[in-house]
Amino acid sequence: TMGRSDNRRNPVSEAQNESMLDIHLDDAQELKILNAGEHKLRITRADVVENKSNPGRNNLRICVDDSSDPLVDDIYVYLVIPEKSWKDSDPKAYVRAVNRIKDFAGSFSVEVSGTSPSRYIGQEGWCDVTEEEDNRDGTMRNQVRRFIVKR
């Protein structure tokens, strides 16, 4: 490679190439979704992401699954992180957002304030799950309708 500045990754050897393509397409299958109703779910990922429809605002993104069945598809939940200024400018939106986060924290027994979301991973909680059609590809998926706080 004389004189070429080439940022491509090093190609894999022919033997590696062949072994990487040893894919059994017979293993392909649809991931499952849960029936609508109450389910015990486990947090597999949690982080803070920018709100796509409202840049400058953030969401707490939670990914949950059914720990009893590894083929149940992931369910993503986006919780709006309220800003203190909303108390005056939009008190209803502020209270809605705080209540939803409080229910999430109660359901999964997590401490929200002053804690990294990554510490939620592995926690389990009860959720009321719905089934709905995904607008992007028409497949069915689950949504968390509400977090259930067991009293």
Side-chain angles (χ1 to χ4, degrees):
T1 62
M2 284 181 44
R4 264 185 25 205
S5 80
D6 173 34
N7 291 334
R8 288 183 294 190
R9 294 187 175 137
N10 293 332
V12 296
S13 73
E14 195 61 38
Q16 285 176 309
N17 221 346
E18 287 176 16
S19 68
M20 284 181 177
L21 292 178
D22 187 16
I23 300 167
H24 301 279
L25 297 181
D26 293 341
D27 292 341
Q29 59 185 298
E30 292 275 327
L31 290 173
K32 301 176 196 171
I33 64 169
L34 299 168
N35 292 326
E38 293 186 7
H39 295 275
K40 188 174 191 179
L41 301 176
R42 173 188 59 186
I43 298 173
T44 58
R45 273 177 267 159
D47 55 3
V48 175
V49 295
E50 189 172 72
N51 183 317
K52 285 182 184 171
S53 59
N54 208 331
R57 293 190 176 164
N58 292 319
N59 288 339
L60 177 58
R61 177 175 58 185
I62 306 293
C63 180
V64 294
D65 73 2
D66 180 345
S67 62
S68 69
D69 188 342
L71 290 179
V72 168
D73 204 359
D74 295 336
I75 304 169
Y76 283 90
V77 181
Y78 293 86
L79 301 174
V80 175
I81 299 173
E83 297 170 21
K84 285 192 176 35
S85 64
W86 295 3
K87 274 185 170 180
D88 297 322
S89 65
D90 194 346
K92 288 178 197 167
Y94 179 80
V95 168
R96 264 194 230 85
V98 170
N99 287 347
R100 184 121 160 108
I101 290 173
K102 181 181 179 186
D103 289 346
F104 159 74
S107 175
F108 285 92
S109 303
V110 295
E111 186 61 48
V112 176
S113 295
T115 308
S116 168
S118 63
R119 299 181 96 171
Y120 309 158
I121 295 171
Q123 290 296 110
E124 292 185 326
W126 287 90
C127 300
D128 184 11
V129 171
T130 62
E131 299 174 46
E132 69 175 34
E133 191 173 320
D134 189 324
N135 303 347
R136 294 168 298 182
D137 60 11
T139 60
M140 293 302 287
R141 67 174 180 176
N142 289 127
Q143 287 285 90
V144 172
R145 192 170 69 87
R146 68 183 175 90
F147 299 105
I148 300 166
V149 182
K150 297 286 185 190
R151 289 175 171 57

